Amino acid sequence: MSVMTTEPDAVPAGEEPPDAGERHRLTAVTGLAALSLDAMASVAYGPEAIVLVLAAAGARGLGFTLPVTLAIAALLAVLVASYRQVIAAFPDGGGSYAVAKAHLGARAGLVAAASLVLDYVLNVAVAVTAGVAALTSAFPALYDDRLWLCLAVLAAVTGVNLRGIVESAKAFIVPTAVFVGSVLVLIAVGLFRSHPVSTAAAAGHPSALADNASAVGALLLLKAFASGCAALTGVEAIANAVPSFRVPRVRRAQRAEAALGAVLGLMLVGLSVLIGRFHLQPVEGVTVLAQLADASFGHNWAFYLVQFATTILLALSANTSFGGLPVLLELLARDHCLPHVFALKADRQVHRHGVLALALVSAVLLVLSGGDTDTLVPMFAIGVFVGFTLAQVGMVRHWSGRRDRGRRGKVLLNGAGAVLTGGAAVVVTASKFTQGAWLVVIALPLLVAAFETVHRAYGRIGERLGLGLVPEPPHRERSLVIVPVSVLSRLTSEALTAAVSLGDEVRAVTVCHPDTEDRARQRALERSWAAWNPGVPLVRLLSERRSLGRPVAAYVREAAAREPGTRVTVLIPEAEPERLWQRLLQNQRGAVVAYAVRRETDAVICRLRLRLS
């Protein structure tokens, strides 16, 4: 006899079959828009960070801007190549956390995860405050309201991400395209200029060049390199969020990573070339990017377009964290290092709890800092370099244990990346330690300890539940169902009907207080009960205090003690209002009883809800 089966459409090897949620996932283009905003926006402050450090050596020091930027671009190429490998090796996402956990051990993985969590949270706060700072620079009257503006921007970005990662990507495609397009056009136009078209933006602003210029030494160049590496934040976000891409996930994520590296590298090197071409000097109160736009376009509408696009993208670059961190929190939750609620997904593939947690912590940071960028920046980018270094070292271990063709070159590539990012992490931490980086140094081990505490708690719970072991076969026990009642109603009838269907014995209990009014109500209930005669005894529980839950819990405890081997269930009837707002009208008696019984007894609690619609 033959059996006909229906097989799904063939799926190419290495790819996953499509599912109903695929339309809520990212393509290479939308992934670039959703997960690269942090990296793209970094060109607004990366070159400036280099120039400000080199300015300590005067005009001669500024001549090293391009060599330092080329070194950063080389590191960017190493990181992009490495994270493309990470994407292929760890398609479930997690980036540095997944690599470190697999090849360096659980503790190293938690250090990488903690560093990424800190950096993602700080990225949101820094991005929002930087965007608002650019806005208040153009409109000084808004300066005193910058905290409320920061919270408004954060609420807007959070709301978009609660709609789904694809919806957030669609919302940010246009701002990203406008910013990248304007910067690339700025570079192209500037390369055809022999001298600046305008210097109006810097006019009247004091120069940031040091009066007593220091020598250009290795330490200064290393510090400039480390400061400029702030432009590399966000490079790992795509590797962290591979599960958010459509099938084939690995291929799409790798394309997005390569596109990010190419565009970011082109913009960084191009802007540095223009800095040298125009002999630009940093000035107080005007960004380097603004001076370059002024020099290339002139002080016209194109100049203001670049400034406006920069402001928007800086504010929205917080979206990188909303795309990457919830996926990382999901992986930590699966590994029992965070509450399991972070592993849940809502419709549209939204990690709702991760998004809301990130928004809440970021809002606290904004309030504590008063919406001031300078307070937050010293703590920024340290965590990401720790993650970079652990990922590079982990990939060295990854290739060392394999016999793939070309593995020696890959080991050298990742080894060089580990040395460079490790050095940058040390320099950045040392140079910013007294400015606030010490908080990150303290927070990192505390966060790792929190992860381990949660993991141990889940381990104890799993041991007590016997997870992974074959449990005893189920057996039937005598059951007693206790139903708290206060008045006779349809709800009472439904509750007793359910109770007699569940248990061998049913008892209704009512709490009576010594007040005259309560005693009168109790006698009325007993007369009505006798007239109704439901076949279930009504037990009166006396309580000297105005308490409801404790008398019921005490009776349940006594019943269980008198009848060992009996399964006691407390069935609590509650009305389900037709309108959501009508829940405010409920007296919450059921919740009070449930809390007391759950806290003081081992009885099963069953909450029966009667819909009133």
Side-chain angles (χ1 to χ4, degrees):
M1 180 179 66
S2 63
V3 179
M4 296 183 63
T5 60
T6 302
E7 298 182 359
D9 296 337
V11 177
E15 298 184 10
E16 302 175 27
D19 60 56
E22 286 300 300
R23 63 191 179 91
H24 297 304
R25 298 182 189 270
L26 299 169
T27 64
V29 174
T30 55
L32 190 64
L35 300 171
S36 70
L37 293 180
D38 178 21
M40 296 296 185
S42 66
V43 301
Y45 52 79
E48 183 162 7
I50 299 172
V51 169
L52 288 174
V53 173
L54 294 177
R60 186 166 178 267
L62 294 178
F64 288 87
T65 300
L66 183 58
V68 171
T69 304
L70 289 175
I72 293 173
L75 178 57
L76 172 63
V78 172
L79 290 174
V80 168
S82 176
Y83 276 106
R84 279 173 56 85
Q85 297 168 3
V86 171
I87 289 169
F90 299 90
D92 291 333
S96 302
Y97 167 62
V99 176
K101 176 189 169 188
H103 298 295
L104 303 178
R107 176 67 63 83
L110 292 181
V111 172
S115 66
L116 288 175
V117 168
L118 290 174
D119 198 69
Y120 273 138
V121 173
L122 285 168
N123 172 59
V124 173
V126 170
V128 171
T129 55
V132 171
L135 180 64
T136 56
S137 297
F139 302 98
L142 299 175
Y143 183 79
D144 292 336
D145 297 321
R146 63 189 186 279
L147 176 57
W148 294 109
L149 291 172
C150 287
L151 295 175
V153 172
L154 176 61
V157 175
T158 303
V160 171
N161 278 276
L162 289 174
R163 294 281 300 166
I165 192 168
V166 170
E167 297 299 325
S168 71
K170 291 178 180 177
F172 300 144
I173 283 179
V174 174
T176 305
V178 171
F179 176 78
V180 173
S182 62
V183 172
L184 292 179
V185 171
L186 182 157
I187 294 170
V189 172
L191 291 176
F192 287 96
R193 306 287 193 193
S194 59
H195 59 277
V197 175
S198 169
T199 57
H205 293 268
S207 173
L209 286 178
D211 295 330
N212 50 347
S214 61
V216 181
L219 184 60
L220 182 68
L221 293 177
L222 186 60
K223 186 176 180 181
F225 172 80
S227 296
C229 280
L232 303 181
T233 58
V235 171
E236 80 292 343
I238 293 174
N240 288 337
V242 178
S244 298
F245 284 82
R246 290 182 186 176
V247 173
R249 310 196 198 289
V250 169
R251 194 179 308 164
R252 291 183 189 274
Q254 287 180 326
R255 289 174 183 170
E257 186 74 45
L260 169 60
V263 174
L264 180 57
L266 180 61
M267 290 194 295
L268 288 174
V269 174
L271 292 176
S272 295
V273 170
L274 293 187
I275 290 173
R277 188 180 187 86
F278 295 141
H279 304 289
L280 183 145
Q281 296 182 5
V283 298
E284 297 179 8
V286 180
T287 65
V288 168
L289 186 60
Q291 292 186 65
L292 290 176
D294 196 30
S296 293
F297 295 132
H299 212 71
N300 51 29
W301 65 268
F303 167 81
Y304 287 104
L305 175 63
V306 173
Q307 296 307 106
F308 181 73
T310 303
T311 299
I312 296 297
L313 202 73
L314 277 171
L316 298 183
S317 62
N319 194 69
T320 297
S321 296
F322 282 96
L325 181 59
V327 178
L328 176 61
L329 297 183
E330 178 190 8
L331 294 177
L332 286 167
R334 288 182 182 179
D335 291 337
H336 315 301
C337 295
L338 277 181
H340 289 169
V341 70
F342 288 108
L344 301 178
K345 285 184 182 179
D347 295 337
R348 300 173 179 266
Q349 300 297 317
V350 179
H351 297 85
R352 184 170 295 164
H353 295 90
V355 169
L356 292 175
L358 174 58
L360 179 61
V361 176
S362 301
V364 171
L365 275 179
L366 289 174
V367 172
L368 293 178
S369 67
D372 182 41
T373 308
D374 294 337
T375 305
L376 298 166
V377 166
M379 297 181 285
F380 184 49
I382 295 174
V384 75
F385 284 121
V386 174
F388 281 163
T389 304
L390 290 172
Q392 297 295 313
V393 174
M395 289 307 292
V396 169
R397 293 284 301 272
H398 175 77
W399 295 118
S400 299
R402 299 170 68 94
R403 294 293 180 265
D404 295 9
R405 184 177 180 181
R407 71 178 182 87
R408 290 186 178 179
K410 295 175 180 178
V411 168
L412 290 175
L413 182 72
N414 295 132
V419 172
L420 291 173
T421 55
V426 172
V427 173
V428 171
T429 304
S431 62
K432 298 180 178 180
F433 189 82
T434 58
Q435 303 172 34
W438 61 272
L439 287 171
V440 176
V441 175
I442 293 175
L444 195 61
L446 290 179
L447 197 52
V448 172
F451 291 155
E452 292 179 331
T453 300
V454 172
H455 189 271
R456 286 194 296 270
Y458 273 124
R460 289 192 295 268
I461 292 171
E463 183 178 351
R464 292 170 183 173
L465 292 177
L467 295 180
L469 303 177
V470 178
E472 297 179 359
H475 59 279
R476 193 183 188 287
E477 293 181 338
R478 180 179 179 278
S479 58
L480 168 63
V481 182
I482 297 174
V483 183
V485 298
S486 57
V487 294
L488 284 186
S489 66
R490 178 189 166 199
L491 182 60
T492 310
S493 176
E494 293 286 343
L496 294 183
T497 299
V500 297
S501 302
L502 291 173
D504 298 316
E505 181 184 357
V506 177
R507 300 175 195 167
V509 297
T510 182
V511 178
C512 180
H513 300 108
D515 299 355
T516 303
E517 182 181 352
D518 285 334
R519 285 200 299 268
R521 187 182 300 113
Q522 175 67 26
R523 288 193 292 269
L525 174 61
E526 291 175 345
R527 288 194 298 269
S528 300
W529 193 274
W532 182 35
N533 191 21
V536 173
L538 178 64
V539 180
R540 178 168 49 174
L541 306 179
L542 298 177
S543 176
E544 296 296 329
R545 297 181 179 181
R546 301 293 301 181
S547 177
L548 177 65
R550 288 185 178 180
V552 176
Y555 179 78
V556 170
R557 208 166 43 244
E558 293 171 3
R562 284 197 304 267
E563 304 178 48
T566 298
R567 179 72 63 178
V568 180
T569 300
V570 180
L571 189 147
I572 304 172
E574 296 175 290
E576 184 75 19
E578 183 178 6
R579 306 286 184 183
L580 181 63
W581 69 268
Q582 292 174 344
R583 294 186 181 182
L584 299 173
L585 307 179
Q586 292 180 296
N587 55 26
Q588 304 301 322
R589 292 168 63 93
V592 171
V593 173
Y595 174 76
V597 173
R598 181 172 60 250
R599 186 184 61 178
E600 300 180 18
T601 75
D602 295 326
V604 177
I605 299 174
C606 177
R607 301 181 73 169
L608 174 69
R609 298 188 181 275
L610 175 64
R611 297 185 182 275
L612 300 181
S613 56

